[in-house]
Amino acid sequence: YDVIISIQVLEHLEKPEKALIEMARVLKNDGMIFLTTNFLYPRHGEPYDYFRFTFDGLISICARAGLEVTSITPHGGFPAMCAQFFHELPLYFRNFIIFGDSHPSFSQKPRKQRVPFLIMMVIPIFIFNFVTQFLALLLHSLDFLDKTSRYTLGYSLVLGKVDGNPGETIKNEN
């Protein structure tokens, strides 16, 4: 293949290194892989959410798969990370009110005794949702202030096959 695109998949694989090795195998010598994955991000897609990847961990796992990282870019910094959590807060509280659990299973049914409480909470939940989404938007707009992106939601990588020079410098695009 000339190009392989993997968007937010790696963290959902039990053996991500095996997937990277297969990508390297089917990639043409001058081909490119564009890959994104999570670092500081809430659990999702359960029960198939296995890993979070650090900057250095991604470089290491790619190198072991025979791939070189030509660029790695963080997905936001500390404000973006905080914004993501503000964005998730209404869901957390809504689930607690409906199910009695902030993270219910797919088979869990709403608790009937909580219906009157839910009806009473519709307007406060709406206001809470509005406020938290506004805060998330505000935090996203401040993300440019974080120059280190130490606390990032994840990374985008551009990869190529190792061509006899696996020690080439990694370009960090902050």
Side-chain angles (χ1 to χ4, degrees):
Y1 291 92
D2 293 314
V3 176
I4 297 172
I5 299 172
S6 172
I7 308 294
Q8 304 303 106
V9 173
L10 209 57
E11 68 272 12
H12 297 285
L13 303 174
E14 283 189 78
K15 297 177 180 176
E17 191 166 350
K18 188 174 181 182
L20 288 169
I21 290 168
E22 183 62 14
M23 287 182 208
R25 185 187 73 77
V26 300
L27 187 67
K28 287 183 178 177
N29 286 337
D30 60 346
M32 177 186 75
I33 298 171
F34 177 75
L35 180 141
T36 66
T37 192
N38 292 329
F39 176 46
L40 298 173
Y41 197 82
R43 292 184 315 192
H44 61 282
E46 294 170 296
Y48 306 104
D49 188 10
Y50 300 108
F51 297 100
R52 297 296 181 268
F53 298 92
T54 65
F55 183 93
D56 295 318
L58 284 166
I59 293 169
S60 175
I61 193 172
C62 290
R64 288 194 311 270
L67 297 165
E68 71 177 330
V69 180
T70 57
S71 76
I72 183 166
T73 308
H75 297 168
F78 187 75
M81 182 194 68
C82 292
Q84 179 64 38
F85 291 104
F86 271 113
H87 181 69
E88 302 247 345
L89 270 176
L91 178 64
Y92 180 88
F93 285 112
R94 188 208 64 203
N95 284 344
F96 187 78
I97 290 166
I98 296 172
F99 298 100
D101 184 354
S102 61
H103 198 73
S105 67
F106 289 111
S107 62
Q108 197 168 345
K109 303 284 187 235
R111 294 187 178 175
K112 289 178 184 171
Q113 68 269 28
R114 291 185 171 274
V115 171
F117 183 61
L118 174 63
I119 292 169
M120 285 181 1
M121 294 300 294
V122 166
I123 291 174
I125 287 173
F126 176 79
I127 292 168
F128 183 65
N129 186 52
F130 180 79
V131 169
T132 56
Q133 298 314 303
F134 175 77
L135 287 171
L137 182 64
L138 178 66
L139 284 165
H140 269 296
S141 70
L142 296 174
D143 198 55
F144 71 95
L145 297 172
D146 186 349
K147 304 296 183 203
T148 65
S149 297
R150 182 174 174 218
Y151 298 97
T152 185
L153 292 168
Y155 297 98
S156 295
L157 294 89
V158 177
L159 308 165
K161 276 192 174 182
V162 174
D163 59 346
N165 187 10
E168 189 162 328
T169 306
I170 302 304
K171 180 177 153 192
N172 183 5
E173 299 175 357
N174 285 328

